[in-house]
Amino acid sequence: MKPTQTDTLPVLTGLRRAELEALVAQLDEKPFRAKQLEKWLFEKTVRSFEDMTDLSKAFRQKLTEQTVLSPHTIRQKISSRDGTTKFLINLADGQTVECVTIVQDHHLTACLSSQVGCTVGCPFCATGLSGFRRNLSVAEIVDQFLLMQHAVQQGALKEFSDHDRISNIVFMGMGEPLLNYDRLLAAIEILNRQIGIGLRRITISTSGIIPGIEKLMQEERDYNLAISLHSANPETRDTLVPINRKYTVATLLDVAKRYADHTGRRITFEYTMLAGHNASRENAFELAEALRGIHCHLNLIAYNPVDSPFQAPPRAEIEAFQRIMVKAGFPTTIRHNHGQDDMAACGQLRIQSVDNNEQPLPMVKA
Ligand code: SF4
């Protein structure tokens, strides 16, 4: 797709408070206009300058000519029986990215993507199977939230939930968030400070990018961390999460322990159960031994099959695994696989919608 003139204009949904204030000053408007603009963009989630009714016509005209509110749109939306709703978002360059709202008893959670595709290449993951295209911009990350929040306010989930605001965020969609570090943290700053989602309600989920976790530990603020572990056995993890060949599981668990000790926050380990690979009693004992001493919570997830040779184990095997972990002293939940009836694995909606404009991506291994 050819670049257009608007490609070079600032996209407002990706601007942090200071950047928004600088832009308003540059447009020769009074400082309080930045606050008004912020309210329309991030609180009321309007999608057009016309709707910003307390801004002067002249200011709106300047905004229209010299900025872009957002070039992103919802291309497709699919809800499953439990209310989990997947959105496929059109980006300005013709790429697409997925995000999801998950209905839980007391809140709505947004699952956001950080990259188009993923370099990590986990063989059981739809995104991993589709290769890597590029990192998302700050606006592309924040806008996933805003588009879903706008849809929720318009009643998109009313048959499933009374909530009209998304209160929790997990970076568990397409891509490896810590490989898009600076933009991720800039997006979290907007989600937290301008949109008002508490930092404790935002979780970064990584496949185990050790330099990223180390860097996160140096930040002034403490972030919730989830680690997609999937196996404590080095050889098995080499095949399930190929980044393990670079950042080994032993080093990863060491840094995870330091992260939990340093921040005082409990680490969540995500563990996708794959029959014949990581779901046996022996695997559970090995995991319990490896996690010893780490302040953590374990999430067991029954695999949601994509076009790959992997299968979920029987429910009884997952429950036996859970019993071993609980007995060993680890709080362990079996996570309901949200949206199983409608392509719940990350990247599946996008893969199914690939058309002539967007060819399937080549496989890139980390
Ligand atoms: S599971 Fe996560 S890290 Fe692995 S390929 Fe998929 S998106 Fe990337």
Side-chain angles (χ1 to χ4, degrees), residues 82-110:
D82 65 4
T84 302
T85 302
K86 297 191 121 198
F87 296 80
L88 188 67
I89 308 294
N90 281 325
L91 306 178
D93 64 354
Q95 304 284 344
T96 56
V97 76
E98 267 188 36
C99 49
V100 182
T101 48
I102 301 160
V103 177
Q104 283 155 316
D105 287 347
H106 304 295
H107 53 258
L108 291 178
T109 296

Side-chain angles (χ1 to χ4, degrees), residues 118 120-122 124-125 127-128 173-176 207 346:
C118 185
V120 177
C122 304
F124 56 87
C125 163
T127 301
M174 298 166 64
E176 165 50 65
S207 58
C346 70

Side-chain angles (χ1 to χ4, degrees), residues 9 12 27 29-30 40 59 83 88 97-98 120 127 159 222 228-229 281 283 292 308 310 315 320 328 332 343:
L9 298 177
L12 297 185
L27 295 178
E29 293 286 338
K30 297 225 163 59
W40 284 115
F59 184 27
L88 188 67
V97 76
E98 267 188 36
V120 177
T127 301
E159 62 180 294
D222 292 333
S228 300
L229 194 61
R281 292 170 56 80
N283 297 138
R292 202 160 300 287
S308 77
F310 296 97
R315 178 84 190 179
T332 304
M343 304 174 289

Side-chain angles (χ1 to χ4, degrees), residues 75 88 96 349-361:
R75 169 160 162 178
L88 188 67
T96 56
L349 180 60
R350 177 170 171 278
I351 283 171
Q352 298 215 352
S353 80
V354 164
D355 57 25
N356 293 336
N357 297 326
E358 196 190 347
Q359 295 302 319
L361 306 172

